[in-house]
Amino acid sequence: MKYPPTAIASRFMTLERHIEEGKRLHPGATGEFSRLLHGLSLAAKLVWREVTKAGLVNILGATDRTNTSGDVVKKLDEFADETIYKAMDHVGHLCVMASEENEDLLHIPEQYPHGKYVLVYDPLDGSGNIDANVTIGSIFSIHKRITASGKGTLQDVLQPGCKQAAAGYVLYGSSMMFVYSTGQGVHGFTLDPTVGEFLCSHENIRIPQRGQIYSVNEGNFNRWEPAMQRYLQYLKQEDESTSRPYSARYIGSLVADVHRTLLYGGIYCYPGDRKNPNGKLRLMYENNPLAYIVEQAGGAASNGKQRILDIKPETLHQRTPLFIGSIEDVKLAEEFLSGKR
Ligand code: AHG
Ligand code: MN
Ligand code: MN
């Protein structure tokens, strides 16, 4: 046979088929959830189309706005934000949305039906990298609503990450990938641009128990608390029996740094520091969905003291420190941060 059977099988496992087959594992599933994921994959393709021609049309660079977190909003941030909202507002299965780029909740237009799910998203993550053609992505989190019907409320959105019904991310890199979980493992699909379909390329991703890579913005070293500084110094010491020193890798796009961590193992850290005690990353749009994915792949995610998915959110744009990756690496980081080592 010319091709190995797995290569042929993966050609026919489209994202749509995978979602449909997953639905059969949930007796009584109505298909609403499948249509949501389908809507997200369409939105992602529309964003990708713009990202790939970013240097050719006038879409690079900044707008004159800053967002709730004080970041300068790039034109592609805005484009991605609107595209995802418009691809999802009429699907009929959402009651409310929230996006990193908008201070308040994003309501579903009155004329469209309201459903039982909530969508929270970071439309473009790593947007500081756009103009340099470095990998960026989109991150999403889906919850089931708490309120009974009608317009969704803040209560529907501010649920702890452990209650997520699904989460995922899209990578706009050397190829485009859609990685998602509905609580049955993590699965990755790569866009075949010749047919416009996402095809299964990474079935049931498992993160190594321990890695040899750390990923952190070390430029903030002098602002970190001593325990964090000691942890980093430990990772850089030479000791063959514990595979040290670790290698340093930092793209500066969280979604790409976490994707690499998922595949190769190790740890990604965004600790609190003197200037930003809760770090930079946002619980709802970044930490919760990525924590869900990494846990589903057998890894862990912590704010240094507590499991990310157990944090009860208080506000839409709240930040928390993030330590995410291989289970043993995250445990070690927690030991340093709590002073046990
Ligand atoms: P966003 O582009 O959605 O605002 O997120 C930026 C985040 C994240 O992608 C990245 O890992 C982090 O900011 C980088 O921060 P530093 O520049 O402080 O390292
Ligand atoms: Mn982000
Ligand atoms: Mn963003």
Side-chain angles (χ1 to χ4, degrees):
M1 200 190 289
K2 211 166 161 194
Y3 295 104
T6 47
I8 294 177
S10 71
R11 287 180 183 192
F12 296 107
M13 184 48 84
T14 61
L15 176 60
E16 203 141 335
R17 178 175 158 197
H18 198 267
I19 293 168
E20 279 303 307
E21 291 191 0
K23 195 176 93 188
R24 282 188 219 123
L25 297 172
H26 296 276
T30 56
E32 293 167 67
F33 199 66
S34 313
R35 284 192 286 276
L36 275 184
L37 290 170
H38 177 72
L40 282 166
S41 73
L42 172 66
K45 284 186 215 170
L46 295 171
V47 175
W48 170 242
R49 191 178 60 187
E50 256 1 74
V51 168
T52 52
K53 58 184 187 198
L56 300 173
V57 294
N58 183 27
I59 200 156
L60 289 179
T63 64
D64 52 10
R65 282 199 315 119
T66 51
N67 67 15
T68 316
S69 304
D71 308 324
V72 174
V73 178
K74 300 274 188 163
K75 290 182 202 162
L76 263 176
D77 277 320
E78 236 168 44
F79 177 84
D81 189 35
E82 281 176 32
T83 300
I84 296 174
Y85 178 75
K86 295 225 171 83
M88 304 305 292
D89 68 351
H90 57 281
V91 180
H93 308 307
L94 292 175
C95 61
V96 70
M97 294 187 245
S99 146
E100 182 196 87
E101 297 301 341
N102 294 274
E103 190 164 353
D104 299 318
L105 294 178
L106 296 170
H107 287 289
I108 305 298
E110 300 274 318
Q111 69 266 33
Y112 299 132
H114 290 56
K116 61 175 185 246
Y117 292 102
V118 174
L119 174 67
V120 177
Y121 62 96
D122 177 353
L124 216 51
D125 175 72
S127 52
N129 281 321
I130 294 172
D131 295 358
N133 207 353
V134 170
T135 297
I136 49 179
S138 303
I139 309 174
F140 65 87
S141 159
I142 299 175
H143 278 279
K144 222 175 203 168
R145 70 184 301 168
I146 297 176
T147 54
S149 59
K151 259 169 92 169
T153 66
L154 204 53
Q155 195 196 351
D156 294 311
V157 179
L158 295 181
Q159 301 187 54
C162 57
K163 300 274 191 209
Q164 286 170 107
Y169 59 81
V170 183
L171 281 180
Y172 312 109
S174 47
S175 57
M176 179 188 179
M177 279 194 77
F178 189 99
V179 177
Y180 85 107
S181 176
T182 55
Q184 280 137 1
V186 179
H187 312 286
F189 296 77
T190 302
L191 184 73
D192 180 337
T194 59
V195 291
E197 286 280 1
F198 284 105
L199 301 178
C200 186
S201 51
H202 297 67
E203 175 79 26
N204 200 19
I205 300 173
R206 302 299 296 167
I207 184 169
Q209 289 272 104
R210 183 163 176 251
Q212 291 171 40
I213 297 175
Y214 73 85
S215 188
V216 67
N217 182 348
E218 224 170 323
N220 294 327
F221 188 92
N222 289 323
R223 290 183 185 154
W224 294 340
E225 58 172 321
M228 180 64 202
Q229 294 177 335
R230 274 200 307 279
Y231 172 56
L232 241 275
Q233 272 152 355
Y234 173 88
L235 295 180
K236 297 202 281 192
Q237 276 157 12
E238 193 158 7
D239 175 22
E240 263 180 44
S241 69
T242 49
S243 312
R244 289 178 292 148
Y246 275 33
S247 292
R249 296 283 184 275
Y250 192 70
I251 298 166
S253 293
L254 170 71
V255 67
D257 280 312
V258 168
H259 182 67
R260 182 202 53 247
T261 307
L262 195 63
L263 298 183
Y264 298 168
I267 188 161
Y268 173 94
C269 317
Y270 210 111
D273 60 44
R274 212 169 41 230
K275 192 165 164 233
N276 299 303
N278 289 315
K280 177 176 184 186
L281 302 174
R282 286 134 293 207
L283 178 62
M284 304 301 297
Y285 311 105
E286 293 163 321
N287 300 353
N288 268 341
L290 295 175
Y292 183 85
I293 291 284
V294 169
E295 280 203 8
Q296 277 292 318
S302 163
N303 67 358
K305 297 187 183 88
Q306 186 188 5
R307 181 183 176 225
I308 291 286
L309 296 183
D310 285 337
I311 298 172
K312 171 84 187 86
E314 282 164 11
T315 59
L316 272 182
H317 295 276
Q318 94 184 60
R319 302 165 192 249
T320 69
L322 179 67
F323 299 85
I324 188 167
S326 295
I327 197 157
E328 287 178 20
D329 284 296
V330 173
K331 195 164 152 257
L332 183 70
E334 281 183 326
E335 283 173 12
F336 269 93
L337 294 168
S338 65
K340 283 193 200 124
R341 294 181 63 128

